[in-house]
Amino acid sequence: GVFQPVILPGDVPAKAALLAFARRGDLSLAVGEKGLIIRNVTGQTPEIVESGLTADLSGVCAAPNGFLACSEKGDILYSANGTDWESQAKWSDMPLAAIAASDTRLLVAVGAGGSILAGSLSTAGDALLSAVETESDADLHDIAFGLSTFVAVGDEGSILISQTGLLWRTIKT
């Protein structure tokens, strides 16, 4: 495809790092350091949106009924419109790196030391999550959902897969 520079709003903090990106329909979001959220980042008029957090937002994903974001401090946020964000959970002992959602509203967030949070997102945007044990203690850096499967990847080539988010199979450690 053709790439072009994105013109960010003038009120984006100097040298602020963007750490993750998601798109749902015509709406795109970028998240980053110190709770930064930029709504409509690929559009004509990107705008900064208040997340309510000071922690780095390390992951964002599109969900069937909105967006989810996670932070390095274990926060999970939800927004139906990319503008109004609500805290869904705080796992202060679990730094999170990335989040993914299925088309059936299952969600999984991954992070340091093989940390995995899994659960479901109601149609109203409420999340019910629990910590999941796996055989891996490798730091997990990203997760994606496709073809009815979650795939998490991390240090030393670790790859874990799950169809439910609750039972994980290690493909490579």
Side-chain angles (χ1 to χ4, degrees):
V2 176
F3 290 91
Q4 60 187 17
V6 173
I7 307 301
L8 297 176
D11 52 349
V12 171
K15 299 183 181 183
L18 297 175
L19 303 173
F21 172 84
R23 181 180 197 100
R24 182 173 176 258
D26 292 336
L27 182 57
S28 58
L29 295 176
V31 299
E33 292 179 326
K34 299 179 183 165
L36 178 64
I37 298 176
I38 302 175
R39 185 180 188 277
N40 198 28
V41 72
T42 59
Q44 295 295 320
T45 56
E47 62 182 312
I48 291 182
V49 174
E50 187 60 44
S51 69
L53 297 178
T54 57
D56 291 353
L57 292 174
S58 48
V60 65
C61 73
N65 52 342
F67 291 91
L68 293 159
C70 65
S71 83
E72 66 169 2
K73 299 288 186 185
D75 301 283
I76 304 256
L77 302 174
Y78 168 77
S79 176
N81 57 17
T83 300
D84 304 308
W85 291 85
E86 297 177 26
S87 177
Q88 295 299 306
K90 173 119 176 121
W91 297 75
S92 55
D93 60 338
M94 196 174 291
L96 300 172
I99 191 165
S102 76
D103 48 1
T104 59
R105 292 193 294 275
L106 294 174
L107 67 103
V108 177
V110 298
S115 301
I116 296 178
L117 291 177
S120 61
L121 185 67
S122 75
T123 55
D126 299 320
L128 298 169
L129 298 164
S130 52
V132 177
E133 296 289 326
T134 68
E135 298 173 2
S136 176
D137 61 356
D139 290 349
L140 299 173
H141 299 290
D142 208 354
I143 186 162
F145 179 83
L147 300 174
S148 301
T149 304
F150 287 99
V151 179
V153 296
D155 285 354
E156 300 174 19
S158 296
I159 301 172
L160 290 84
I161 63 170
S162 175
Q163 292 183 328
T164 64
L166 299 173
L167 301 171
W168 290 84
R169 186 171 62 153
T170 302
I171 299 300
K172 183 179 178 196
T173 56

